[in-house]
Amino acid sequence: MEKPLTQHIVPGRAPLSLKEYEKVGGYQSVRKILKEMAPADVQNLVKASDLRGRGGAGFNTGLKWSFVPMGPEVAKPKYLVANADEMEPGTFKDRVLLEGNPHQLIEGMIVAAYAIDASISYIFMRWAYKVAAREIIKALDEAYEAGYLGENILGSGFNLDMHLHTGVGRYMCGEETALLNALEGKRANPRAKPPFPQVSGLFGKPTIVNNVETLCCLPHIINNGAEWFKGLSKTGDAGTKLYGISGRVKTPGCWELPMGTTIRELIEEHGGGMQDGYLFKGLLPGGASTDFLVEEHLDLPMDYTAIQAAGSRMGTGTMIILDDQTCPVGFVHNLQHFFAQESCGFCTPCREGLPWVEKILLAIDRGEGKPEHLLTLDFHTKYLGPGNTFCALAPGAMEPLQSALKYFREDFERHIHEQHCPWSKAKVWQPS
Ligand code: NAI
């Protein structure tokens, strides 16, 4: 891999300063686009690279940009927002990029802003990412000082301002339209889509919201081309991916690897295999709002297409492992507690349904479950599913539940039958 996103990230070392970053080729893509490419060329190149959004949904980035109205008659300003509100349970990949190489994100944002002709940009960052915020502020100062941001960038006539905005620690703010409301100083409720933000976003103006990892791919695509990017992958989905593992493996962590690396390789080689005394039981492939996969799926490539075909989603690509000594009911209850707490309360199924699901799971976990509870849970996986709520929060929350009811149903039934949690004496690991 010639230029991975993480090539200049050394754990424990401060990120590259602007001077160091420039020495290793930093901001070359900005020089290139401003000198040689029109915004449409940048859009076409990124479309040709097949880059898909790394925030979790996997929407084609170039295609998303192409919905932004272009031309002199379009009302200005247009906005670009980097979604750095990384709060999906088990997900810590953007943090690595933010803390490790902030200039790479700024460079990627300049490329994206140029492609859609945006003149104002925001980095919307998770409140808890204090180190990342400190490094981004330093890097923004350096980039302004050097003329990569501000008026008439490198004498090109292109203007771009970039601001850091830190959230207040709500999961909801990662949903792009709730994020835009929060940026406008309003309550972070999701908006109806359509209109999509590409047409009517921040303050009603055309806006692109891209994930941090997505934006960090851009300088490399500009410098090396679409075919190079596609060639990095082992499968049909292009590029590299920041994969992560948490749970009882020997070496949990985050690694940049070719897209399509198999789940088995991730767990056994990079994660070091299961800890001694623990067996693999299942995994959530990309954060908590994805469906469980089990033993039969271990040889699947981790990419958008293969994981979807197996009935789940790659999501953020950072997996949470469930081991044989952790109670699956308690594990899912813990996740539903998080989702119920993070519901913005705007739409009724989510506001009322998630706490109800949480309550039932708690009852089952405590040995107070009734056989009809399983039917109520089955019902809720549909009632809170896609199409019945305003945004993806509740449908996402139902993914681990519906798949746990499919793959680990006997464990749920045992709790109800025995009126007791069979794992109750085991040490229970809880995802943070
Ligand atoms: P989505 O599929 O609705 O949209 C994804 C992107 O594509 C958005 O930018 C949207 O504007 C665009 N898009 C989708 N359909 C479009 C259309 N017809 N026309 C124009 N643009 C369109 O997904 P959403 O709700 O934005 O995100 C859900 C994902 O977020 C989940 O897959 C989940 O894995 C992930 N997620 C990630 C978190 C994190 O911390 N990274 C936290 C929570 C969820």
Side-chain angles (χ1 to χ4, degrees), residues 54-57 59 64 67 85-88 91 93-94 171 174-176 193 196-198 209 211 286 289-290 313 315-316 392:
R54 304 303 200 228
F59 198 82
K64 178 150 101 176
F67 300 136
D85 197 46
E86 182 173 61
M87 246 187 107
E88 183 67 21
T91 299
K93 66 180 184 66
D94 295 338
Y171 179 68
E175 198 284 331
E176 63 177 355
K193 294 197 276 192
F196 284 90
Q198 297 93 306
V209 183
N211 167 259
S289 52
T290 55
R313 294 183 309 109
T316 58

Side-chain angles (χ1 to χ4, degrees), residues 215-246:
L215 291 159
C216 287
C217 290
L218 297 172
H220 306 287
I221 294 172
I222 298 293
N223 291 333
N224 300 289
E227 292 310 312
W228 169 84
F229 188 71
K230 286 197 268 195
L232 293 173
S233 165
K234 289 187 170 178
T235 56
D237 286 338
T240 60
K241 180 79 194 75
L242 262 69
Y243 294 113
I245 304 185
S246 56

Side-chain angles (χ1 to χ4, degrees), residues 154-178:
L154 304 177
S156 64
F158 175 59
N159 307 326
L160 179 66
D161 276 318
M162 196 172 288
H163 308 281
L164 173 68
H165 179 100
T166 48
V168 290
R170 297 317 304 260
Y171 179 68
M172 198 59 232
C173 291
E175 198 284 331
E176 63 177 355
T177 58

Side-chain angles (χ1 to χ4, degrees), residues 210-349:
N210 281 147
N211 167 259
V212 167
E213 185 186 347
T214 311
L215 291 159
C216 287
C217 290
L218 297 172
H220 306 287
I221 294 172
I222 298 293
N223 291 333
N224 300 289
E227 292 310 312
W228 169 84
F229 188 71
K230 286 197 268 195
L232 293 173
S233 165
K234 289 187 170 178
T235 56
D237 286 338
T240 60
K241 180 79 194 75
L242 262 69
Y243 294 113
I245 304 185
S246 56
R248 285 193 171 122
V249 290
K250 287 188 182 130
T251 52
C254 181
W255 312 273
E256 183 182 6
L257 292 165
M259 180 73 85
T261 300
T262 64
I263 298 175
R264 193 182 291 284
E265 181 184 326
L266 284 164
I267 296 177
E268 289 178 4
E269 285 186 32
H270 306 283
M274 296 301 289
Q275 288 177 15
D276 296 339
Y278 294 94
L279 296 175
F280 171 85
K281 187 172 173 90
L283 68 96
L284 297 170
S289 52
T290 55
D291 284 85
F292 276 101
L293 296 178
V294 291
E295 190 89 33
E296 71 192 67
H297 301 116
L298 287 180
D299 289 311
L300 286 178
M302 268 283 276
D303 69 12
Y304 298 101
T305 314
I307 301 299
Q308 189 162 354
S312 185
R313 294 183 309 109
M314 184 169 74
T316 58
T318 46
M319 38 174 103
I320 305 174
I321 308 283
L322 172 67
D323 61 81
D324 66 329
Q325 293 186 43
T326 298
C327 168
V329 176
F331 185 99
V332 175
H333 167 256
N334 185 281
L335 298 178
Q336 298 306 322
H337 172 70
F338 171 82
F339 288 120
Q341 179 177 283
E342 292 302 327
S343 169
C344 75
F346 185 48
C347 65
T348 308

